[in-house]
Amino acid sequence: APILNENVRIGGEDNCISVVQVKNHVRRNTGGTIYVKSTMTNPDIKATIKCVCGVYRAHILQAAGKSAANSPNSVCHAKDELAQVFIDDQSGHTPKDLSEVPSLDQVITFYENFYERSQMEIDTIIMSLIYVEKLIKETNGLVVPGAETWKSILFSCMVLASKVWDDLSMWNVDFSNVSRRHLMLAPFTLRRINELELAVLKCLNFIVRVPASEYAKYYFLIRCMLMKSGDLNEVGDGEKGLDMEELKNLEAPSSNYQAAGASSTPPNTNARRSRSLNDHDFDAFRPRKNETSVALEQLVTMNR
């Protein structure tokens, strides 16, 4: 049964209220093709966060493996003051729960809580991962997310992504206000956020620009991971995607028109308009009746 919405209308002489049930509008494509739900400017938020957190946890596991293989050296190289800033517990002793590798659900919960409370834009999800990997690369692995540093590094990269990418980003005092109301985010006070922000900028040499090509590369890599894992469903319920035969039929009209255009005489590109033209001059630019022409309907028609 279709889902109905109730719209309240006020009308009549007595201004009586009537409830009218209106059927939901179903969005359809005009070209008969599949409807793409997730795009670069509007990705699937939950699926993208899950994938980004999965990649981030892979960095944590890699760092934990290197730390176990080379026990004398800490993941953060305790002698380096800049790396020490990213240790989650700044009290000097590390509780047992902070020395264990977090589960994927813990990382996702942390990310979603801060993302929703800070009202960040969709683009900051991928941007935060870009800054995490830039941080690792610029420090030659000196600063890397580990069991004792994953919260601080992820938090600071999310703040940086929001400030660089969002049109209306929050201030550090706002980030601290939304953090203190949640147990997992409570350690991030204003002083702590300022300290982390300065440390990240120093590690990146204050170069925070991300080219559009790099963002696109990360987006399509994440998209491929989501499609392989089955977390990205481009086709809605009750809809059927195009098979290979239908794709060939869709491509055939445009391919035929392109081939016909390639075989015809190319236009004179050296002609330049240097004066106003009259009706007689326009005749040279008008298409001949025997020339091949195509309409938009011919390009989108599919032969079933």
Side-chain angles (χ1 to χ4, degrees):
I3 301 176
L4 302 179
N5 289 334
E6 294 184 352
N7 295 340
V8 179
R9 297 180 180 177
I10 302 177
E13 298 179 355
D14 300 333
N15 289 332
C16 59
I17 299 176
S18 60
V19 178
V20 181
Q21 290 184 333
V22 181
K23 186 177 180 180
N24 276 351
H25 173 70
V26 179
R27 183 175 182 179
R28 301 186 184 277
N29 282 343
T30 57
T33 59
I34 60 174
Y35 175 64
V36 180
K37 295 181 178 181
S38 177
T39 62
M40 189 180 300
T41 57
N42 186 30
D44 188 326
I45 296 178
K46 285 190 173 297
T48 306
I49 289 178
K50 181 179 179 181
C51 186
V52 167
C53 291
V55 176
Y56 187 74
R57 186 172 182 271
H59 284 296
I60 300 176
L61 292 173
Q62 185 179 15
K66 290 182 179 179
S67 178
N70 191 12
S71 56
N73 294 328
S74 172
V75 174
C76 273
H77 298 264
K79 294 182 180 180
D80 192 282
E81 295 182 359
L82 193 59
Q84 280 186 336
V85 176
F86 295 98
I87 298 178
D88 294 335
D89 185 19
Q90 294 291 311
S91 61
H93 62 280
T94 303
K96 183 179 179 180
D97 58 340
L98 293 180
S99 60
E100 297 178 353
V101 175
S103 64
L104 179 59
D105 290 337
Q106 287 178 310
V107 180
I108 293 176
T109 301
F110 179 88
Y111 198 108
E112 287 181 340
N113 283 330
F114 187 50
Y115 175 83
E116 294 172 358
R117 290 173 179 273
S118 302
Q119 300 179 356
M120 296 183 180
E121 298 292 337
I122 300 175
D123 306 303
T124 58
I125 303 174
I126 298 179
M127 287 291 295
S128 61
L129 179 61
I130 294 177
Y131 283 130
V132 167
E133 299 199 341
K134 276 183 172 294
L135 195 64
I136 300 173
K137 181 180 179 180
E138 292 296 329
T139 59
N140 294 321
L142 181 65
V143 177
V144 60
E148 301 175 3
T149 61
W150 70 272
K151 291 182 181 179
S152 297
I153 293 178
L154 183 59
F155 185 95
S156 55
C157 289
M158 290 178 68
V159 170
L160 181 60
S162 176
K163 287 190 173 185
V164 173
W165 203 259
D166 288 354
D167 294 329
L168 297 174
S169 177
M170 296 167 50
W171 290 16
N172 286 355
V173 64
D174 300 318
F175 288 123
S176 65
N177 288 335
V178 299
S179 299
R180 67 183 180 183
R181 301 173 185 175
H182 192 273
L183 180 61
M184 187 176 284
L185 303 172
F188 296 100
T189 61
L190 177 59
R191 181 178 179 180
R192 177 64 173 156
I193 295 174
N194 292 337
E195 185 181 34
L196 289 172
E197 183 180 34
L198 182 59
V200 169
L201 292 174
K202 286 183 177 180
C203 290
L204 298 178
N205 296 319
F206 293 87
I207 301 175
V208 296
R209 179 181 174 273
V210 176
S213 58
E214 186 173 2
Y215 181 90
K217 180 187 72 173
Y218 273 83
Y219 168 79
F220 285 111
L221 288 174
I222 290 175
R223 184 182 178 87
C224 290
M225 294 175 63
L226 291 174
M227 294 182 68
K228 290 180 180 179
S229 63
D231 291 326
L232 183 63
N233 183 18
E234 289 289 12
V235 183
D237 298 335
E239 299 178 0
K240 176 180 175 295
L242 298 179
D243 55 22
M244 186 58 64
E245 187 64 27
E246 290 173 329
L247 289 173
K248 291 180 180 179
N249 293 335
L250 180 64
E251 185 184 6
S254 59
S255 299
N256 295 337
Y257 177 70
Q258 186 177 7
S263 60
S264 61
T265 304
N268 183 13
T269 57
N270 295 325
R272 296 292 184 270
R273 179 175 176 177
S274 58
R275 60 185 177 84
S276 300
L277 303 179
N278 53 32
D279 292 339
H280 177 72
D281 295 327
F282 270 113
D283 291 338
F285 295 94
R286 289 182 179 133
R288 301 293 187 267
K289 292 184 179 180
N290 59 350
E291 290 183 356
T292 304
S293 61
V294 66
L296 178 61
E297 290 79 5
Q298 292 176 268
L299 293 177
V300 298
T301 300
M302 294 175 55
N303 298 323
R304 298 286 183 178

